[in-house]
Amino acid sequence: MSKRVLDLESKIKNKKALIGIIGMGYVGLPLVKTFLKKGFEVLGFDVDARKVNMLNQGESYIKHVSAEELKAFVKKKKFQATTDFGLLTRVDAIIICVPTPLDSHKNPDLSFVLKTTEVISKSLRKDQLVVLESTTYPGTTEEEMLPLLEAGGLRVGEDFYLAYSPERENPGDKFYSTEKIPKVVGGITQGCKRVAKALYDQIVVKTIPVSSPKVAEATKLLENIFRSVNIAMVNEMKMIFDRMGIDIWEVVEAASTKPFGFMPFLPGPGYGGHCIPVDPFYLAWKAKEVDYPAKFIELAGEINTLMPYYVVSKTIEELNKRGKSIKGARILILGIAYKKDIDDQRESPSLKIISLLQGKGAKVSYNDPYVPQSSGHRDYPGLKLKSVVLTEKKLKEFNAVIITTAHSVYDFEWIAENSSLIIDTRNAVKKKRKNVIKA
Ligand SMILES: NC(=O)c1ccc[n+]([C@@H]2O[C@H](COP(=O)([O-])OP(=O)(O)OC[C@H]3O[C@@H](n4cnc5c(N)ncnc54)[C@H](O)[C@@H]3O)[C@@H](O)[C@H]2O)c1
């Protein structure tokens, strides 16, 4: 191994390397905190000046990332957030955690990654390590980023190092914090892999080196497609069993007693978040290049997309049984975040359900202890709501309450006692009650 690789490796191992993380979001911010806790100095880069200012005042805008800890590091001058990308030249390891969304035609939108790579390439210097963490299709690091980074004349593996290491953050997970989740790493060259592995060895429980960035990129997609397909399968089972008068949740619980060959997935109102509804389509798009239509991905997408419609039709059916039409009905959505105990509304099925109900003339309110207001959504520009306070009197005002997100702070038995009709998409109400319908 070259002396330069060994020098950077030892700088990392001695925690003398300055870390630069680009994208201070749900992924970047927990990563900042992990590096800080392990004794590194960190610069946090973002284009959003509001976020940067908040961070420099030791404030966090993500519920599960505590502001107190961050404040201490800002005070000790171990952490600084910045919009000045000129500072990248000071950094030894650059980690990219910017968004990788889909465009309006469900095609990958790599613009954030490519813009960031161009910015890095302007100040790229010898002995820097660049790692992409954003989820993307196989080939992004090697085919899209590498040419941009080498355009200035520096050579990968000789002058600088490039690797891919997928993010596996599970927001709201109290046990699996960033440092407890093993990390897969693929480098363009052996030297790239070695320094990238050395970097993650300092902060996570285990680093798994693989033969190339492509394998690391594909690993992340397999993990997310596995979830998407299994969620779709159990959601389809839910609809079939419902027609047969069988409770899917009871079936999943019983099947889970099998000690091998079965892994439980729970049905719900659809899927949400920045990953599972989005990432599989990165592979579906790339697969077309090799003439392969990704059937599982498309089918899972279709079924999961259908779920909010299913919940709405169940609600209409139950209201109808009670002599109430959907037009003018007062409906409360319980939980607008896409999963429990977090504040992230991205791709939340609750938003789709609200918009479908509003389209049918229902008067929709929501409660979410972690999301005081909901507006500014690209797909739902007309949606502007504030979380209502939950009281016995308030609950009684609604014709139906739809449980979409089972936040742990909710007292579901109390909610069910005080509501006329509950549509429960999460099996949240445990006691059997006539006014609770699972959907
Ligand atoms: N959120 C998750 O649970 C999760 C889990 C695994 C993987 N991922 C992947 O991680 C990546 C980041 O996701 P996230 O949830 O952290 O997104 P996010 O939207 O929370 O954060 C992205 C941040 O990047 C900033 N940004 C946008 N363009 C930028 C640019 N050109 N330069 C610098 N900063 C820029 C934004 O202002 C924002 O603060 C995505 O590829 C996502 O698929 C997310």
Side-chain angles (χ1 to χ4, degrees):
M1 209 36 75
S2 79
K3 181 169 178 313
R4 301 180 82 124
V5 168
L6 298 176
D7 284 350
L8 180 55
E9 188 184 49
S10 89
K11 197 172 185 185
I12 289 169
K13 285 185 176 167
N14 295 328
K15 308 205 170 163
K16 297 278 184 250
L18 176 62
I19 311 297
I21 298 178
I22 306 183
M24 296 287 92
Y26 282 87
V27 166
L29 204 48
L31 197 60
V32 163
K33 291 190 86 170
T34 311
F35 273 107
L36 288 170
K37 279 209 283 201
K38 300 286 177 176
F40 285 90
E41 200 179 316
V42 182
L43 281 178
F45 295 85
D46 206 292
V47 286
D48 186 338
R50 188 189 60 91
K51 281 186 180 170
V52 164
N53 289 338
M54 284 180 77
L55 291 174
N56 284 334
Q57 282 157 25
E59 290 170 29
S60 163
Y61 35 77
I62 294 176
K63 182 188 140 326
H64 58 278
V65 177
S66 118
E68 281 315 304
E69 277 176 89
L70 197 66
K71 213 171 221 162
F73 290 113
V74 175
K75 257 192 182 161
K76 283 189 276 179
K77 300 208 179 324
K78 288 284 180 191
F79 173 66
Q80 191 202 332
T82 182
T83 52
D84 178 4
F85 287 76
L87 294 177
L88 277 173
T89 145
R90 284 179 47 201
V91 167
D92 299 293
I94 303 170
I95 303 177
I96 306 169
C97 307
V98 296
T100 43
L102 295 172
D103 67 15
S104 53
H105 298 98
K106 277 210 185 309
N107 290 327
D109 174 5
L110 267 196
S111 62
F112 299 90
V113 170
L114 297 182
K115 255 186 233 152
T116 303
T117 311
E118 274 165 18
V119 169
I120 296 171
S121 72
K122 282 190 196 134
S123 60
L124 187 69
R125 60 161 172 82
K126 284 191 176 178
D127 305 323
Q128 275 186 321
L129 164 66
V130 179
V131 186
L132 176 66
E133 289 216 7
S134 305
T135 309
T136 184
Y137 55 77
T140 304
T141 310
E142 208 169 338
E143 294 159 15
E144 312 286 348
M145 290 179 67
L146 182 57
L148 293 173
L149 292 173
E150 284 193 327
L154 294 181
R155 288 288 150 260
V156 71
E158 293 168 23
D159 303 313
F160 74 97
Y161 310 98
L162 178 61
Y164 180 79
S165 179
E167 220 331 297
R168 284 170 156 172
E169 192 65 21
N170 190 19
D173 190 325
K174 292 211 168 65
F175 181 73
Y176 283 111
S177 55
T178 309
E179 64 200 271
K180 287 196 185 134
I181 307 172
K183 233 162 166 340
V184 172
V185 177
I188 300 273
T189 66
Q190 289 300 323
C192 296
K193 180 160 78 179
R194 184 159 174 156
V195 283
K197 180 176 179 317
L199 179 72
Y200 290 110
D201 278 347
Q202 309 312 308
I203 63 156
V204 297
V205 57
K206 192 174 181 196
T207 314
I208 300 103
V210 293
S211 61
S212 65
K214 272 185 188 160
V215 170
E217 288 158 340
T219 302
K220 172 72 187 181
L221 290 178
L222 173 63
E223 291 166 12
N224 280 359
I225 293 162
F226 170 78
R227 283 191 61 72
S228 166
V229 167
N230 280 287
I231 292 169
M233 197 231 355
V234 79
N235 276 332
E236 184 168 73
M237 291 286 177
K238 170 176 79 170
M239 295 186 286
I240 296 171
F241 288 157
D242 181 63
R243 287 193 188 182
M244 298 175 173
I246 300 167
D247 180 338
I248 179 73
W249 283 275
E250 193 182 346
V251 175
V252 173
E253 203 181 320
S256 303
T257 59
K258 187 180 176 188
F260 48 85
F262 183 80
M263 181 184 282
F265 279 81
L266 295 174
Y271 58 0
H274 185 46
C275 291
I276 315 292
V278 173
D279 304 341
F281 293 100
Y282 268 67
L283 186 61
W285 179 85
K286 188 71 176 171
K288 288 186 189 134
E289 233 175 64
V290 288
D291 293 336
Y292 199 97
K295 298 191 260 311
F296 268 109
I297 294 173
E298 298 291 351
L299 182 59
E302 270 173 41
I303 295 173
N304 288 326
T305 306
L306 193 74
M307 295 321 298
Y309 293 85
Y310 173 76
V311 172
V312 167
S313 72
K314 269 276 181 189
T315 308
I316 294 172
E317 194 182 307
E318 290 305 322
L319 283 170
N320 187 43
K321 279 185 196 162
R322 289 158 178 79
K324 179 82 199 156
S325 88
I326 190 70
K327 193 166 175 181
R330 300 200 59 188
I331 297 185
L332 177 70
I333 303 294
L334 223 46
I336 205 164
Y338 78 87
K339 73 171 181 179
K340 73 175 191 175
D341 303 338
I342 65 164
D343 57 359
D344 190 349
Q345 301 172 70
R346 288 177 294 177
E347 312 287 331
S348 173
S350 304
L351 300 173
K352 184 78 193 178
I353 291 173
I354 292 173
S355 115
L356 290 172
L357 289 169
Q358 284 178 334
K360 292 185 185 304
K363 295 189 182 109
V364 189
S365 306
Y366 87 91
N367 170 274
D368 193 309
Y370 306 122
V371 187
Q373 55 191 35
S374 184
S375 59
H377 305 288
R378 193 187 56 187
D379 295 337
Y380 310 102
L383 200 155
K384 283 190 190 83
L385 291 172
K386 280 190 177 157
S387 175
V388 299
V389 179
L390 279 191
T391 60
E392 278 182 31
K393 187 169 169 278
K394 192 83 194 161
L395 281 170
K396 290 193 166 83
E397 286 172 15
F398 293 101
N399 301 107
V401 174
I402 305 180
I403 299 173
T404 38
T405 316
H407 289 307
S408 309
V409 293
Y410 283 139
D411 179 349
F412 290 109
E413 302 308 323
W414 172 80
I415 289 165
E417 257 163 40
N418 292 291
S419 306
S420 55
L421 169 63
I422 299 261
I423 305 293
D424 186 358
T425 73
R426 298 286 188 183
N427 194 30
V429 185
K430 295 296 175 222
K431 210 169 132 188
K432 263 202 156 92
R433 293 170 188 272
K434 277 203 174 115
N435 65 332
V436 178
I437 307 297
K438 293 185 186 180

